[in-house]
Amino acid sequence: ALMRTLEARLAALLPAWLGPDDRPQTPLRRLLRVALGLFLGFAGVNHFTNAEEFLAQVPPYLPEPELLVALSGVVELVLAAALLLLPRWRRAVGFAALLFLVAVTPGNLAQYTEARDAFGLDTDAARLTRLLLSPLLWVWASAAGDLWPRPRRR
């Protein structure tokens, strides 16, 4: 009962399109959601076990790079858990994941423009490829959260 009350209060704060959805996801969308959850979980853990690689992505104009790496790792772990454990809330969580992935794109840009080596990306071509793949992550989060493209319902 407490969980339903909390859920109802959260739903009241969000636009209806981000509220809970009891309809089952298509198998492909479920696979995308679970895969994104695992991907973000792996990345989140790596923020703590391999922090020096992530520090190379923090743009120089941002303060406290170590803190930012740790905080982004926490955010990734929370998003991962939510994607895996809260399928009814996939739209809100997918939207949050999308916003997060857009927010970290300047890090990919900084890594490219400043020629910072990290994650085995030690050429301009490799760093540019990673930067140009950022929109695919946005589409992945959108599809995993049933945000876009809108799934067809029978």
Side-chain angles (χ1 to χ4, degrees), residues 4-21 88-89 92:
R4 286 287 177 189
T5 302
L6 290 173
E7 197 172 77
R9 287 190 179 173
L10 179 59
L13 296 173
L14 296 172
W17 62 274
L18 287 178
D21 188 351
R88 292 182 67 234
W89 287 91

Side-chain angles (χ1 to χ4, degrees), residues 52-53 56 111 114-123 127:
E52 65 281 351
E53 295 288 324
Q111 185 179 5
E114 296 170 23
R116 294 181 178 188
D117 295 346
F119 305 108
L121 305 175
D122 55 5
T123 67
R127 290 184 287 267

